[in-house]
Amino acid sequence: MYVTIQAFSEKTGLSPSTLRYYDRKNLLVPTCRLKNGYRAYSETQIKDAIMIHSLRNADVPLNEIKRFLNADETERNVLISKWRQEVELKVASLKIAQQYLGGLNPKQN
């Protein structure tokens, strides 16, 4: 069963413009086009849509997401490990910034 971009948007929580963007970037291509040219997605694509969007929220570049989608299990594990390390570094950096900002007093120069 196929659903329109609007219905797919409601099921995934992603905006139609985000879905169109993922389509243009060949990350999440609709299963087919309806007779009227509208994009149609399958229910099985919901998991991929949410995963792609979650990776984007983690600042994973589009080219690496595309690589991940086409990778075998070994390469996927390597990419996931790399992304985890990058996120850990970002979190540590943000914690340092938080500590610094917490110690600032606006009355001091």
Side-chain angles (χ1 to χ4, degrees):
M1 177 176 165
Y2 301 117
V3 295
T4 63
I5 194 169
Q6 188 61 43
F8 195 76
S9 171
E10 291 168 7
K11 290 177 183 274
T12 61
L14 305 176
S15 69
S17 63
T18 297
L19 293 169
R20 286 186 202 96
Y21 178 73
Y22 291 164
D23 181 13
R24 283 193 305 276
K25 296 298 182 179
N26 290 316
L27 285 174
L28 185 67
V29 178
T31 303
C32 66
R33 293 276 182 156
L34 303 176
K35 289 181 182 180
N36 58 8
Y38 290 177
R39 292 168 174 86
Y41 296 86
S42 70
E43 298 278 334
T44 60
Q45 290 182 287
I46 291 172
K47 183 183 81 163
D48 288 340
I50 292 170
M51 179 193 59
I52 291 166
H53 197 65
S54 295
L55 291 173
R56 286 298 299 138
N57 284 335
D59 289 332
V60 176
L62 294 175
N63 63 329
E64 289 189 25
I65 295 173
K66 199 178 290 188
R67 184 173 150 202
F68 178 82
L69 293 173
N70 296 313
D72 62 20
E73 185 178 351
T74 302
E75 187 174 4
R76 281 183 172 209
N77 287 331
V78 168
L79 288 168
I80 290 169
S81 177
K82 175 185 171 236
W83 297 334
R84 282 185 183 140
Q85 289 175 342
E86 289 172 356
V87 167
E88 287 172 10
L89 287 172
K90 287 177 189 175
V91 168
S93 178
L94 288 171
K95 284 182 180 180
I96 291 168
Q98 181 183 36
Q99 288 174 344
Y100 176 77
L101 291 172
L104 284 180
N105 183 340
K107 294 180 182 179
Q108 295 175 338
N109 287 335

